Amino acid sequence: MRFDVITLFPELFEPHTRSGVTRRAYDSGAIELKLWQLRDHADDAYRRVDDRPFGGGPGMVMLVEPLQRALAAVRADRGQAPVVHFTPTGQPLTQAVVQEFARGDGAVLLCARYEGVDQRLIDRHVDLELSLGDYVLSGGELPALVLLDAVARLLPGVLSEPSHAHDSFSDGLLEGPQYSRPEVLDGPGGPEAVPKVLLSGHHADIARWRREQALRTTALRRPDLIARARERGRLDARDEAFLSTLKL
Ligand SMILES: C[S@@+](CC[C@H](N)C(=O)[O-])C[C@H]1O[C@@H](n2cnc3c(N)ncnc32)[C@H](O)[C@@H]1O
C-alpha cells in the first residue's frame, strides 16, 4: 500500500521509517511512503502557503491553491486515492478505522498547520476527516504518524508474533495486565508474586484468566466498551457471569 503525505515538515516522518518494528513495513515495501513538501507548490518567491483569514481573527489559514497543486502532483504520480485530512473536528481515529486502512491500498494524508485549511479545499477534495482526540496539536503530522504506525503493525510480517490480535480494542476490550521476570519482586510492602496461573503452563486457564482480566480492566475503565461489546454479541455467558461478580 502507498501513503503520500503532504506536509510542511517531511523531516518529521523519517525517524518513523527507520526505527522500531514499523521500520520493517517500509523496508519490506509493505508500505511505500512518499513525502511531498507543500512549499514546492507555492507560487511566489517566498513559498507562501498561508494567509490571513477573511473576516479577521488570529492566526493564518492554509491556502487552497498550493494544496490543490500538491494534490494534483500526487494524483499525477499515483492516480486516485482517498484524501485524509487530520483535524480536531474529524471523526475519532479508532482501531476499527486503522483496521480498515490496513485492508486498503493507502491514502493521501494532508497535514495542516496554522489555524487549519480553507474549507473549500476540504469540500472539494477530502474524503475523510480524522481526529486524534479532544485536544489541539500544532499540526497534522503527529496524527498522520499515529495512523501510519497503527496501520504498519497490523501488516503481515511486521510483528514477529501476531500479538496485535490480543491488543486493546482488537476484540472490543482493553488488554489486561501483563507480567515478566522476576517471578517474585521484593519491595517495601513485602514480596509480590506474579499471578500463579501464568506459571501453570495450562493454556486454557491462562486464556480464561486473560479474558477475565481484560473484562475487569474494561469494565473499570471503559464501561462504554463493555456496553458496545454486549450490543455486538461479543460477550458470552461466562463473560457475563464473570462481570456480575465484579464490584464496580
Ligand atoms: C493549531 S491546529 C488548528 C486547530 C483549529 N483552529 C481548531 O480549532 O480546530 C493546526 C492543525 O493541527 C492539526 N490538529 C490539531 N489537533 C488535532 C487533532 N486532535 N486531531 C487531528 N488533527 C489535529 C489539524 O490539521 C489542524 O488544522
Side-chain angles (χ1 to χ4, degrees):
M1 70 180 63
R2 171 171 163 176
F3 286 94
D4 292 82
V5 181
I6 300 175
T7 171
L8 291 171
F9 299 100
E11 66 276 12
L12 293 179
F13 290 82
E14 276 144 26
H16 171 72
T17 64
R18 283 190 267 110
S19 323
V21 284
T22 51
R23 174 185 170 173
R24 293 194 199 131
Y26 302 97
D27 287 353
S28 70
I31 294 183
E32 185 188 347
L33 182 65
K34 192 153 177 181
L35 304 168
W36 300 79
Q37 170 53 264
L38 179 60
R39 287 199 196 284
D40 294 344
H41 302 275
D43 64 354
D44 68 352
Y46 302 103
R47 308 207 330 140
R48 249 185 113 152
V49 295
D50 61 302
D51 209 334
R52 298 195 173 287
F54 282 130
M60 304 295 264
V61 173
M62 293 186 80
L63 295 169
V64 181
E65 286 162 325
L67 283 164
Q68 281 198 149
R69 283 191 288 272
L71 279 171
V74 173
R75 287 189 180 121
D77 198 56
R78 72 167 288 172
Q80 287 295 332
V83 177
V84 180
H85 172 228
F86 298 98
T87 164
T89 64
Q91 76 174 71
L93 175 59
T94 60
Q95 190 67 9
V97 172
V98 170
Q99 283 162 346
E100 192 81 3
F101 275 99
R103 288 191 287 269
D105 293 329
V108 182
L109 309 182
L110 186 58
C111 303
R113 286 264 156 175
Y114 313 112
E115 287 312 312
V117 175
D118 187 309
Q119 185 61 37
R120 293 166 296 177
L121 185 283
I122 297 167
D123 295 341
R124 287 187 192 186
H125 298 288
V126 169
D127 299 293
L128 178 65
E129 292 194 290
L130 289 175
S131 169
L132 214 58
D134 291 347
Y135 39 81
V136 178
L137 301 163
S138 43
E141 287 78 9
L142 287 175
L145 282 162
V146 168
L147 175 65
L148 288 167
D149 185 281
V151 169
R153 63 195 305 289
L154 295 187
L155 300 180
V158 171
L159 298 184
S160 44
E161 292 173 77
S163 54
H164 52 71
H166 304 286
D167 281 345
S168 293
F169 308 111
S170 294
D171 62 358
L173 301 178
L174 303 178
E175 192 174 70
Q178 307 202 71
Y179 300 89
S180 187
R181 287 188 295 170
E183 268 178 51
V184 180
L185 183 67
D186 286 331
E192 192 183 349
V194 304
K196 268 204 183 81
V197 62
L198 297 178
L199 310 174
S200 69
H202 194 292
H203 297 304
D205 286 356
I206 293 171
R208 188 64 220 159
W209 182 86
R210 287 195 168 134
R211 176 80 182 169
E212 290 178 353
Q213 296 306 309
L215 288 164
R216 181 197 302 278
T217 303
T218 312
L220 285 171
R221 298 187 180 176
R222 293 289 303 275
D224 58 307
L225 294 180
I226 292 285
R228 198 180 312 163
R230 197 169 273 139
E231 266 165 37
R232 296 184 177 173
R234 287 180 165 180
L235 303 183
D236 63 18
R238 285 174 85 189
D239 294 337
E240 293 292 3
F242 176 76
L243 284 169
S244 70
T245 68
L246 295 179
K247 292 186 182 61
L248 299 172

